[in-house]
Amino acid sequence: MKKIRLAVLGSVVSLLAACGSTPNQQPAPVVERTSSTGKVVDAAVAPAAPAPSGRGYYTVKKGDTLYRIALEAGQNWRDIVAWNNLTNPNDIKVDQTLRVAPPDRAPGTAQTAAIAASPAAGLDVKPLGAPGTSAPAAPVPVGSNKTGPRGDKRPYSESALAELEKPDAPAASGASVASTAPSAPAKAEQPHAADKPAAAASQAATDDEGVSWMWPAEGKVVGTFEGGKKGVDIAGKAGQAVLAAGAGKVMYAGSGIRGYGNLVIIKHTSNLLSAYAHNQTILVKEGQSVTKGQKIAEMGKSDSDTVKLHFEIRQQGKPVDPSKYLPPR
C-alpha cells in the first residue's frame, strides 16, 4: 500500500514540476491599465489629437454665444456654423474650439499656384507630353505635300495661297513652330506668390478707404470710444430713425447677442463692419443689401436702461474709434 501511495505522490510532484518549468510560456496580454488618477483606461486607445489653436481659432468661454463670437471675429455666424459643421448654433460648449476664419485651400493648391505664378521659380515650362519627349508636332493634313509643320498664320490672299501650295515652300516669316506659339504673358502681369498677401492687404485697405460714412442717427453723443466703450452712444427718442452709416450687406439682424438688444450688423468690406444696437424695431433682414442713409431700424432701449443707439465700427472684428471714420458735425 505504501508503494502505491509513494508512486501516486511521485507522479503528482512530477506533474507540478513540469507545469512550473514550461520554457515557452507567454505572459497574458494586458488589455487595461490604471492611470495615475486611478482610472482604468484601455491601453490600446491612442491619445486624442490636440485641439487646433492659434490664429483663426477660438476657444469657447463661459457665457459666450455663437453670435457674439461671430461679432468679435468679424464673421457671419452662419459661416462659422458651416466651417465647424454645427447642427445647432445654440449648442456650443465651454472649452470647445471653433474655427472663426475661412479654411485654407485644399492641400497642394497654394504651392502649385505659387510655382505657376512665380517667374523666378527656375522651371522650364513645356506642353504636356510623354516623359522625356517634346511636345508633338501639329498634324499634317492628309494629301499635303508639305514636309514641315505649318505653324504660321497669315491673312488670306491669292499670293499666300499659291506660296503654300508649292512643295517645301518655306514660311514667309522663316519662323519655327515654337516661335508662332502664343507668347506667355509678360512677367509684370504675373504677380509673384510672395506678393499676393501684400497685394490683398493693399486692396483691402483701398476698399476700406472707399467707404463713404455718415452719422447713423441724430442726437447728442452721450458715450464715446475714449470713455471705455466699444463705440459711441447717441441719445434719441423711441421710434427715431436709425440709418445705415455706409452702403453694405446686412450680416446679422436679431437679438441673440447679450447686451446689444435688437442688433443690426452691416458688412461694408472684407475688413469693416458697423453695428447698431438697442433698437426698438429692426426693418432689414440678413443678406439684404442696403445703401448709405437707408433706414434700417427704429431707436429703442432693448437691453438698455435708456433710449439710445449704440453704434460701433469694427475692423477685422476689433472695435475702432468711430470718430475716425464719421464726418465731423
Side-chain angles (χ1 to χ4, degrees):
M1 195 68 177
K2 286 185 178 181
K3 292 182 179 180
I4 295 175
R5 289 181 180 178
L6 290 175
V8 172
L9 182 60
S11 299
V12 172
V13 172
S14 300
L15 180 61
L16 292 176
C19 292
S21 60
T22 303
N24 296 326
Q25 184 177 2
Q26 298 296 329
V30 178
V31 178
E32 296 181 340
R33 65 184 179 187
T34 305
S35 66
S36 58
T37 60
K39 183 180 179 181
V40 177
V41 296
D42 188 352
V45 177
S53 61
R55 187 174 182 180
Y57 292 93
Y58 178 82
T59 301
V60 179
K61 299 178 179 61
K62 186 177 180 179
D64 278 342
T65 65
L66 188 67
Y67 307 106
R68 177 176 287 276
I69 293 171
L71 175 62
E72 297 295 334
Q75 302 291 351
N76 190 313
W77 68 272
R78 297 182 186 274
D79 291 334
I80 296 179
V81 168
W83 297 335
N84 295 277
N85 298 318
L86 301 178
T87 56
N88 184 358
N90 296 316
D91 185 19
I92 57 175
K93 299 176 177 59
V94 175
D95 293 332
Q96 180 180 357
T97 300
L98 297 175
R99 177 184 285 278
V100 293
D104 296 333
R105 287 179 294 179
T109 56
Q111 182 178 2
T112 303
I115 293 175
S118 174
L123 298 179
D124 183 14
V125 180
K126 296 182 179 180
L128 293 176
T133 62
S134 58
V140 179
V142 178
S144 171
N145 57 0
K146 291 286 292 177
T147 58
R150 297 179 179 181
D152 59 333
K153 293 182 180 180
R154 291 181 290 167
Y156 172 80
S157 67
E158 294 295 337
S159 59
L161 178 60
E163 184 175 353
L164 289 173
E165 290 177 348
K166 295 179 181 179
D168 301 329
S173 62
S176 64
V177 177
S179 65
T180 59
S183 58
K187 290 185 178 181
E189 299 176 0
Q190 298 180 350
H192 194 281
D195 298 334
K196 288 183 179 180
S202 176
Q203 181 63 39
T206 302
D207 292 342
D208 293 349
E209 293 172 358
V211 179
S212 176
W213 296 95
M214 63 173 288
W215 282 83
E218 295 292 335
K220 181 180 179 180
V221 176
V222 294
T224 62
F225 187 80
E226 288 79 4
K229 295 183 176 294
K230 294 182 178 180
V232 297
D233 291 341
I234 303 172
K237 299 178 180 180
Q240 180 179 330
V242 174
L243 312 177
K249 181 176 288 188
V250 178
M251 190 173 75
Y252 177 80
S255 58
I257 304 181
R258 190 181 299 113
Y260 285 81
N262 294 324
L263 173 68
V264 176
I265 301 175
I266 298 176
K267 192 156 192 172
H268 305 281
T269 68
S270 58
N271 286 330
L272 288 176
L273 58 82
S274 57
Y276 312 75
H278 306 311
N279 300 294
Q280 173 179 281
T281 307
I282 295 176
L283 305 177
V284 291
K285 298 179 180 179
E286 291 182 17
Q288 178 179 340
S289 295
V290 296
T291 58
K292 174 185 174 183
Q294 179 177 337
K295 185 177 179 180
I296 59 173
E298 293 178 348
M299 194 180 296
K301 59 176 184 178
S302 57
D303 231 349
S304 172
D305 295 333
T306 59
V307 175
K308 64 180 179 181
L309 170 67
H310 175 73
F311 175 71
E312 295 181 9
I313 295 179
R314 293 190 173 229
Q315 186 174 44
Q316 295 182 345
K318 296 181 179 181
V320 293
D321 188 354
S323 65
K324 296 181 180 179
Y325 295 84
L326 301 175
R329 69 173 187 178

